[in-house]
């Protein structure tokens, strides 16, 4: 089957590809779009990681309260 990417990873890869094509074709606008796409993917990935950490902390607190 194909490769399965999260939406965040897809944005990061799409951004890197746009940057590369923009560099090869001297298309500054396409390169800038790629930088923005990659940055958006990085931010969303960071938000997702933070949410997971908060969720884990809440679960840990809940387990300690049950004891």
């Amino acid at each position: 089957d194909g490769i399965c990417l999260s939406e965040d990873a897809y944005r990061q890869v799409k951004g890197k590809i746009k940057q590369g094509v923009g560099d090869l074709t001297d298309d500054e606008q396409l390169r800038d779009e790629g930088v923005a796409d990659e940055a958006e993917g990085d931010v969303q990935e960071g938000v997702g990681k933070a949410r997971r950490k908060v969720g884990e902390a809440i679960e840990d607190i809940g387990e300690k309260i049950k004891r």
Side-chain angles (χ1 to χ4, degrees):
D1 294 336
I3 296 173
C4 182
L5 293 175
S6 70
E7 189 173 332
D8 308 329
Y10 169 75
R11 282 190 181 122
Q12 292 167 330
V13 170
K14 179 176 79 168
K16 288 180 186 213
I17 291 170
K18 281 184 175 181
Q19 288 176 57
V21 172
D23 285 342
L24 289 172
T25 61
D26 286 332
D27 186 335
E28 191 171 321
Q29 181 179 353
L30 185 60
R31 185 186 181 293
D32 291 346
E33 285 177 18
V35 169
D37 287 344
E38 184 178 2
E40 183 179 0
D42 290 344
V43 168
Q44 290 300 321
E45 182 181 30
V47 168
K49 286 180 181 179
R51 283 185 182 159
R52 285 190 295 278
K53 292 281 186 189
V54 168
E56 291 170 4
I58 291 170
E59 286 179 12
D60 289 346
I61 291 169
E63 290 298 317
K64 289 179 181 178
I65 291 172
K66 288 179 184 177
R67 292 182 194 162

